[in-house]
């Protein structure tokens, strides 16, 4: 890398717009959405989609609710042409969906595009040619007048070809390709010349698509370009301003959102941001960003996993595990402090009558996207007691007291360090059983017991296996716990109660009880016992014996 990159690269110029309005605006409604997955996205694939995959993708877009779909580039080849014309003839295009095709500004290509749409009830033909200085100078070797002439000639052919087919409701889109790196006055001049030919009206507007074909500046500059264009294009009420951002600088989503603030009406992009180089703008993220601000985007991602499966199958590309909203890991937390905050957030959400979503670290309710809460918190060596407790609660219904959470987290930490991997719910339950529930190596094991009440006291009489030999242990106290501990004290294990809690697991006839006992030993250590049984009293006895075993 150069120590002085200014010798090779120059900063992108600012737009002279001192009274810009977009910074003080808020997005309040969704744009018109166009998916270009089947065209722009398809041409960026290592192995382009075949007809079966294209149809599957088209069906997904319809199901999600996309109303404008760019289905291909008819002049790219016979396979592309055949798919487009076959889709049109199949009757599989819903009445509320408009298909679109793309063409360069050349007569033969435009004519081929109209032929592919023969018989469509309605369609958009999207015309483009590059207008920026680098393309004029390096690619075409043409003047401004010549570039404008290409656009005007293409518009005339659009007009004439549409007139030959009055049975279709034709709509036109024009893109001054490389808009974001072109002179604003020239882009406006070319677009106005195209409008002079096509004569759009407020009832039948033209779509002027303003692409950041290669992202070359910060998103605020793109927003300035959009606002400037909207202020200066003639007959603005006959224009739908469309955005088509790429992600070369990693800010395609931000550029789109700021472009909407700047007055754009429509967004072109791909699900999950597929596209050439670093990709097109990600429609899923833009839409769900709106959703988290209380705006219905008009797109349905309530089964996000099905959307992911279809896109991954059709594109043969994975969705990144950290992808916003959709990634496998975006609703998970490994860090202990994150896990604790999420756990408390869910508890607060459940306790409140207010439906307003407010859970730390989660800007959207995973359930709105068809995800389950069980996947939210995962455990590894970075996890804390809150995360471990959450997994046990979700998997087994156990609600561990705070200090038991801390005690158990030591066992989990040791297991995570020893295995150097993520621990699943089965791993955690096995560790919990080994630490607190009866096993073959315990000194005390419950066989059976009786209780009796006399003179304000309670007597416990238990048949207990002590080191494998069945014995009778008895004790008295003012309650069940104190009488069991009295019996254990007589057997040489003195314990004092610090804390006790219990709760039900499940509902109805299959419900069980969980009891948790925290005790102090004769030498000042703290031990815990856990009991689970269909009878709450028996669960309590098991918890007391568990504490004795830990002692």
């Amino acid at each position: 890398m150069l120590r002085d990159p200014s010798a090779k690269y120059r900063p992108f110029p600012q737009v002279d717009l001192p009274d810009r309005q977009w910074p003080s605006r808020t997005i309040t409604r969704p744009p018109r959405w166009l998916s270009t997955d089947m065209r722009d996205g398809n041409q960026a694939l290592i192995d382009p989609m075949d007809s079966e995959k294209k149809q599957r993708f088209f069906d997904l877009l319809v199901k999600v609710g996309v109303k404008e779909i760019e289905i291909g580039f008819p002049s790219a080849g016979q396979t592309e042409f055949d798919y487009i014309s076959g889709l049109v003839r199949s009757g599989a295009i819903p009445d509320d969906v408009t298909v679109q095709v793309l063409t360069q500004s050349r007569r033969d290509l435009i004519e081929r595009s109209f032929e592919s749409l023969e018989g469509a009830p309605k369609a958009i033909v999207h015309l483009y040619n590059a207008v920026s200085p680098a393309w004029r100078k390096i690619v075409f070797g043409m003047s401004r007048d010549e570039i404008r002439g290409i656009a005007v000639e293409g518009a005339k052919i659009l007009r004439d070809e549409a007139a030959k087919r009055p049975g279709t409701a034709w709509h036109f889109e024009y893109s001054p390709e490389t808009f974001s790196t072109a002179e604003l006055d020239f882009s406006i001049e070319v677009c106005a010349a195209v409008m002079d030919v096509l004569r759009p009206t407020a009832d039948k507007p033209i779509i002027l698509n303003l692409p950041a074909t290669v992202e070359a500046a910060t998103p605020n500059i793109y927003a300035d370009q959009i606002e400037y264009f909207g202020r200066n294009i003639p007959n603005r009420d006959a224009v739908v301003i469309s955005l088509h951002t790429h992600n070369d600088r990693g800010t395609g989503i931000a550029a789109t959102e700021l472009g909407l603030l700047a007055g754009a009406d429509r967004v072109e992009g791909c699900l999950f941001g597929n596209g050439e180089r670093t990709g097109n703008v990600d429609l899923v993220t833009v839409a769900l960003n709106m959703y988290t601000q209380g705006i219905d985007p008009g797109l349905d991602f309530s089964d996000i996993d099905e959307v992911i499966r279809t896109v991954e199958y059709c594109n043969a590309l994975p969705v990144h595990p950290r992808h916003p909203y959709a990634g496998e890991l975006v609703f998970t937390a490994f860090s202990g402090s994150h896990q604790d905050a999420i756990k408390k957030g869910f508890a607060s959400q459940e306790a409140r009558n207010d439906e307003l979503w407010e859970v730390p670290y989660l800007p959207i309710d995973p359930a709105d996207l068809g995800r389950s809460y069980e996947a939210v918190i995962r455990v590894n060596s970075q996890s804390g007691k809150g995360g471990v407790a959450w997994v046990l609660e979700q998997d087994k219904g156990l609600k561990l007291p705070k200090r038991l959470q801390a005690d158990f987290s030591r066992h989990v930490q040791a297991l995570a360090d020893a295995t150097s991997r993520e621990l699943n719910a089965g791993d955690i339950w096995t560790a919990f059983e080994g630490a607190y529930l009866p096993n073959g190596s315990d000194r005390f094991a419950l066989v059976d017991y009786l209780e009796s009440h006399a003179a304000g006291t309670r007597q416990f009489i238990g048949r207990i296996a002590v080191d494998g030999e069945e014995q009778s242990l008895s004790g008295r106290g003012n309650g069940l716990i104190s009488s069991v501990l009295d019996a254990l004290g007589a057997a040489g294990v003195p314990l004092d109660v610090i804390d006790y809690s219990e709760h039900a697991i499940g509902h109805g006839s299959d419900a069980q009880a969980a009891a948790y006992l925290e005790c102090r030993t004769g030498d000042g250590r703290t031990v815990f016992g856990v009991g689970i049984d269909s009878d709450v009293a028996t669960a309590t006895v098991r918890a007391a014996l568990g504490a004795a075993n830990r002692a």
Side-chain angles (χ1 to χ4, degrees), residues 73-78 81 101-117 125 127-128 150 153-158 161 164-165:
F73 201 144
S75 59
Q78 192 62 43
F81 181 94
V101 297
L102 181 71
T103 178
Q104 292 168 308
S105 188
R106 275 176 38 192
R107 176 175 292 277
D108 58 329
L109 306 185
I110 296 171
E111 291 174 347
R112 186 72 165 155
S113 298
F114 275 91
E115 288 169 12
S116 74
L117 295 170
V125 181
L127 177 76
Y128 76 96
I150 290 174
E153 180 61 21
K156 290 177 180 177
I157 301 168
L158 283 186
E161 289 298 313
K164 296 175 185 177
R165 299 168 176 85

Side-chain angles (χ1 to χ4, degrees), residues 305-358:
D305 288 329
E306 176 58 28
V307 177
I308 293 168
R309 283 191 293 270
T310 301
V311 173
E312 288 185 331
Y313 167 75
C314 294
N315 287 348
L317 291 172
V319 172
H320 195 282
R322 294 294 183 192
H323 190 286
Y325 304 111
E328 180 187 358
L329 299 178
V330 298
F331 296 130
T332 66
F334 294 104
S335 163
S337 61
H338 288 214
Q339 292 172 337
D340 184 61
I342 292 171
K343 180 175 179 289
K344 290 174 178 174
F346 277 131
S348 172
Q349 194 75 24
E350 188 176 342
R352 295 197 324 263
N353 291 325
D354 184 3
E355 293 184 3
L356 194 67
W357 180 253
E358 191 176 22

Side-chain angles (χ1 to χ4, degrees), residues 332-445:
T332 66
F334 294 104
S335 163
S337 61
H338 288 214
Q339 292 172 337
D340 184 61
I342 292 171
K343 180 175 179 289
K344 290 174 178 174
F346 277 131
S348 172
Q349 194 75 24
E350 188 176 342
R352 295 197 324 263
N353 291 325
D354 184 3
E355 293 184 3
L356 194 67
W357 180 253
E358 191 176 22
V359 174
Y361 293 112
L362 296 181
I364 194 171
D365 185 348
D368 289 355
L369 304 181
R371 292 276 176 88
S372 63
Y373 294 149
E374 286 81 354
V376 169
I377 294 179
R378 292 163 64 168
V379 176
N380 63 13
S381 62
Q382 303 298 305
S383 303
K385 63 182 185 297
V388 173
W390 172 264
V391 172
L392 270 182
E393 182 174 346
Q394 296 303 304
D395 188 51
K396 298 296 182 181
L398 299 181
K399 302 176 182 179
L400 306 190
K402 287 284 187 184
R403 287 191 289 273
L404 179 55
Q405 291 180 24
D407 188 76
F408 181 47
S409 69
R410 295 185 296 104
H411 297 274
V412 175
Q413 184 73 41
L415 179 60
D417 288 339
T419 58
S420 298
R421 63 172 174 83
E422 178 188 351
L423 303 181
N424 59 38
D427 296 324
I428 293 169
W429 177 242
T430 299
F432 187 82
E433 285 183 305
Y436 303 107
L437 298 182
N439 58 66
S441 62
D442 285 341
R443 184 182 179 196
F444 299 100

Side-chain angles (χ1 to χ4, degrees), residues 8 83 119 127 257 315 325 379 397 423 469 479-480 488 520 540:
K8 188 173 184 179
Y83 171 76
L127 177 76
E257 292 179 330
N315 287 348
Y325 304 111
V379 176
L423 303 181
E469 260 186 53
L480 177 59
L488 290 169
R520 183 175 292 110
T540 302

Side-chain angles (χ1 to χ4, degrees), residues 28-93:
T28 58
R29 58 184 175 82
R32 287 169 53 175
W33 303 103
L34 174 117
S35 162
T36 188
D37 287 274
M38 297 172 67
R39 199 279 305 170
D40 207 343
N42 190 47
Q43 73 182 26
L45 298 177
I46 299 169
D47 296 310
M49 290 183 277
D50 58 19
S51 294
E52 183 271 331
K53 288 184 176 180
K54 273 204 155 190
Q55 189 59 48
R56 186 163 172 177
F57 212 124
F58 180 82
D59 293 340
L60 171 68
L61 293 169
V62 169
K63 184 177 180 180
V64 165
V66 180
K67 301 303 182 187
E68 298 176 35
I69 304 173
E70 194 165 63
I71 56 175
F73 201 144
S75 59
Q78 192 62 43
T79 300
E80 189 85 338
F81 181 94
D82 289 344
Y83 171 76
I84 294 167
S85 59
L87 179 64
V88 170
R89 291 194 305 270
S90 71
I93 303 171

